[in-house]
Amino acid sequence: MNLESHPTTLQEENRKKVHQILKNTHSRIEKLIQRTYQQKDVSATSQLRQLRTRLTGLISEAEKKELDSFGSHNGNIDEFYENEKTFVDTSAMLFQEVETALNVTENVDVFAISDLMDKMEMGFSHRINLTDLNLGEYENRIISKKQATREEREEKESRDIEEKEVEEKAPAEDKTIIPETSTSEIMPEFTSEITTGPTGNIESEISVQDDAQVTIKKGELDTEVLSKLYRYINILEQRFENYHPEISYDGDYIVDKQWKVEISKRSVRGTIKEGRFKAPMLIVDNYWKPIGDKRDIIEMIQAKASTIEQNQYMSLCFISSSWDESIKEWVRTYSHQKLGFFIYDIMEDDLVYNENDENTRKFAFWHSTNGTQKKLAEIVDQLIEDEEYFDLNDVVKYSGLNLSGAKKFIEGLVKKKILVDVGLDSPKYTRAK
């Protein structure tokens, strides 16, 4: 569905569209009835007449503008768009099935037509009754989409200007190690919109570009700082391109979701999105952001944290050539349920964060120049080596996955025949022979 179409307009357009499709289907069923009657196929003729009666009722329903005649279920805006798409698609499938039956000489597959008629009736009864809350959701989505489009354009223009400035002032030998902007698409396409706060978009609030302070001003960075910054970005680029987060902040298994990587000469961002509107569930962000005032950085992080909605998490790292000790002390104690915060000193190769916060520790790998992250497959190998057999509770205990995530991960390995379930009373796993 086109998000630009207003829900009330879309619902009315779909009603008219389906009404016309059903009328066309009705005329073709009439022709099928005539053909089977001439062929003296009594059974098919009788069944088609019953379907014609049902179809006549659907056409009558589709003529009515009031949604009450359709059953008027309640649901959110995501469910609305999904149900509207199914509503139209099923009517088109029904028409195509009847059209195909009319164009072939074989016996009519009345069962297939009847099955699609059942789905069509269900589509009628499951249309969503729009409420003020739904319409508010829609308006916020439109604002978010427009703002995201505008900010993507502004970010590109800003990066082009910044990179040109950096290239003009960097020595020739340093330019050879500057990574080109690249994007890694590991899984199918995602786009992002998310409603939150007065601006309505988490990505706009926590953009790599962020605000004017991000701009690297002329004369600010000397050759040594530039060289170390490029080295750090290069390391992160390789890490983000070669690895995919396996566990979400709340313990879900997320390898099957798209990990989109965006690189510039002073930033690296990875995003995992989900849902119909491709809202970001996880953002891992590193970018140049030298701030010397503790009050400024506290206010900025608190503002960012307030934009993050439920079921979202952001792991954010500001990069600079030096950090005030008072800022470091504050970062070491900072903790937030939805925002993990890091600062990185490129001259000292020092990553500072709250090491007592579980989520922050979990995502430190994506901001550090060293260290490794044990893969889930390695954890399973260790469980088998230690005990030979293990259950889902063992996976939860040693992996960081929640029970649902552990089940999804293990079931995937069983499906691939890497593991086998040998449990009798309850699932217990080991390596497949």
Side-chain angles (χ1 to χ4, degrees), residues 23-57:
K23 287 175 64 179
N24 293 339
T25 305
H26 189 278
S27 67
R28 283 156 176 77
I29 284 185
E30 288 282 9
K31 293 179 181 179
L32 275 177
I33 291 173
Q34 293 172 16
R35 193 180 79 186
T36 57
Y37 179 78
Q38 292 170 358
Q39 295 171 343
K40 298 182 179 180
D41 188 344
V42 179
S43 176
T45 302
S46 175
Q47 290 175 315
L48 286 169
R49 284 173 176 168
Q50 292 177 20
L51 292 177
R52 180 183 60 185
T53 301
R54 292 173 63 190
L55 185 58
T56 300

Side-chain angles (χ1 to χ4, degrees), residues 343-354:
I343 57 175
Y344 178 70
D345 186 327
I346 58 175
M347 302 304 290
E348 301 293 334
D349 186 21
D350 184 25
L351 183 68
V352 179
Y353 61 97
N354 184 354

